[in-house]
Amino acid sequence: MKTAQRLGNLGTETSFRVAQDAAEWKARGNEVYPFHLGDLNFPMAPHIVEAMDKAIRDGKTGYCPGPGIPELRAALADDIGKRRGVTIDPAEVVVTTGGKPVITKFLQVVMDPGDGVLYPSPGFPIYESQIEYLGGNALPYRYVPTADGFAIDLDHLRASIDDKTVAIIYNDLQNPISAESTEAEREAIAAIAQEFDLWVLSDEAYFEMRYKGRSKSIAALEGMRERTVILYTFSKKFAMTGSRLGCAVAPREIAEVISTLNTNDESCTTHYVQWAGIAALQGPQDEVGRMLEVLRKRRDATCSIINSIPGMSVAVPGSTFYVFPDVTEAMEAKGIATLSEFSTEALHNTGVSFCTREHFGRRQDWEDRSYIRLAYSGIGENDITEGLGKLRDWLAQG
């Protein structure tokens, strides 16, 4: 039977395919060092678990308002606003089943078929997937390597804009490359958005996953609140990936439409999970600090070993829990032509499982270097050292 033609434009988060390959390799009795998925091997804090359990015991298991329960919307408005230096009305907050739905709902609200949307490349693959699935024109903008990591090529971004471009997706503290904008870069993106009258989706999933300094939101810049939708998620900071809780912070007219989309799509976000979200925001933050300290040690171990491997190099990121090393020379020395072959051979020879640049949107014509992404969020420090040591030894064999 016939299916919809638009399904041909639907991509996916292909890192889950890497996870399947790793699981199959492990099932055959092999050791696997899991650097592939950006999940966290930390438990939810006990007070969050207790709040969820209490909500279930109290009967908060039925339907609730589509935009979220008032108590959580108010808590989110207060916390997100204070941390970004902006005033947020709870009516501008719409609770969602994780951060990912905000991407699709933002595009549904601001983009008609044929409109252009700028998105980072490499970047979270759902950006490209949803733009194209909804009939938009996906306009990738590129990053250039620097001594500190990567920077947006602002000239290339500007040159990609035409009279059909309606929005830009901006992911400061970026997955997969861990790039963080300078103040000047953030201000330049804001200026471009205002000059060309673009909506902005500010994906702030990793806003508080940082090891020094303080994050800033593009929404706090002059003239940006009225054109910016913030994507917020509980998944990273509170290790609540499976709970599926997040929100959109949007101008009120946009928030109202996203709320309507909620009602159409899933009715509401799970009621008792929302009470856990309140506990996460308003309860003790000790577990967050401890998790970040563990992640910092994992980052340091990962980067130290990578930079000791001939043909591999990476800048030490100040945020997220990913590194994006250049492996061009390492592949050449090994006689490996493609990233797909490199990842398979690495898994089978060392047990190290990782994603590659190809898992983060379509590779572009301008790219002449090869990169992989290692997530250290779900692997302990000892396994990091052991696994990457095996990778180094394998590559040294020539």
Side-chain angles (χ1 to χ4, degrees), residues 64-81:
C64 61
I69 60 175
E71 295 87 347
L72 179 56
R73 297 175 78 189
L76 283 163
D78 180 66
D79 188 82
I80 294 172

Side-chain angles (χ1 to χ4, degrees), residues 72-271:
L72 179 56
R73 297 175 78 189
L76 283 163
D78 180 66
D79 188 82
I80 294 172
K82 284 180 178 177
R83 294 181 186 278
R84 288 156 181 78
V86 297
T87 300
I88 299 172
D89 189 298
E92 298 173 309
V93 177
V94 183
V95 177
T96 54
T97 53
K100 191 181 292 185
V102 179
I103 301 168
T104 301
K105 291 172 182 178
F106 168 81
L107 293 170
Q108 287 178 284
V109 175
V110 307
M111 185 194 79
D112 282 319
D115 286 342
V117 176
L118 296 153
Y119 71 100
S121 182
F124 189 49
I126 303 306
Y127 303 148
E128 182 181 87
S129 169
Q130 286 300 298
I131 294 168
E132 295 184 342
Y133 177 67
L134 294 170
N137 182 21
L139 304 173
Y141 61 86
R142 68 188 177 196
Y143 288 80
V144 293
T146 72
D148 298 320
F150 295 89
I152 296 172
D153 185 336
L154 294 167
D155 291 336
H156 176 264
L157 186 153
R158 176 180 285 273
S160 301
I161 299 171
D162 60 25
D163 59 3
K164 291 286 288 179
T165 307
V166 297
I168 177 172
I169 298 175
Y170 174 57
N171 182 202
D172 199 358
L173 284 67
Q174 206 249 37
N175 173 22
I177 64 178
S178 295
E180 180 178 354
S181 285
T182 62
E183 194 72 39
E185 182 177 271
R186 191 178 302 108
E187 291 175 352
I189 296 294
I192 289 171
Q194 293 179 64
E195 178 185 349
F196 292 95
D197 195 24
L198 303 177
W199 288 103
V200 177
L201 175 62
S202 183
D203 185 342
E204 300 181 5
Y206 299 91
F207 193 82
E208 292 165 76
M209 303 304 295
R210 59 178 311 121
Y211 308 106
K212 61 180 180 179
R214 182 176 179 180
S215 296
K216 296 182 179 180
S217 174
I218 195 170
L221 297 178
E222 185 177 354
M224 292 305 294
R225 277 282 281 120
E226 59 265 35
R227 67 175 65 249
T228 302
V229 174
I230 295 173
L231 182 159
Y232 177 91
T233 178
F234 286 80
S235 292
K236 317 304 179 187
K237 178 181 178 181
F238 299 111
M240 293 176 67
T241 52
S243 298
R244 308 315 304 140
L245 185 63
C247 78
V249 178
R252 189 170 301 199
E253 67 274 19
I254 301 298
E256 290 174 354
V257 182
I258 293 176
S259 177
T260 301
L261 289 169
N262 277 7
T263 303
N264 277 264
D265 289 349
E266 64 272 344
S267 296
C268 59
T269 300
T270 305
H271 194 174

Side-chain angles (χ1 to χ4, degrees), residues 297-320:
K297 292 178 180 179
R298 294 179 184 180
R299 177 204 63 179
D300 292 346
T302 300
C303 291
S304 176
I305 298 174
I306 287 173
N307 285 321
S308 75
I309 300 175
M312 292 180 64
S313 62
V314 70
V316 180
S319 61
T320 80

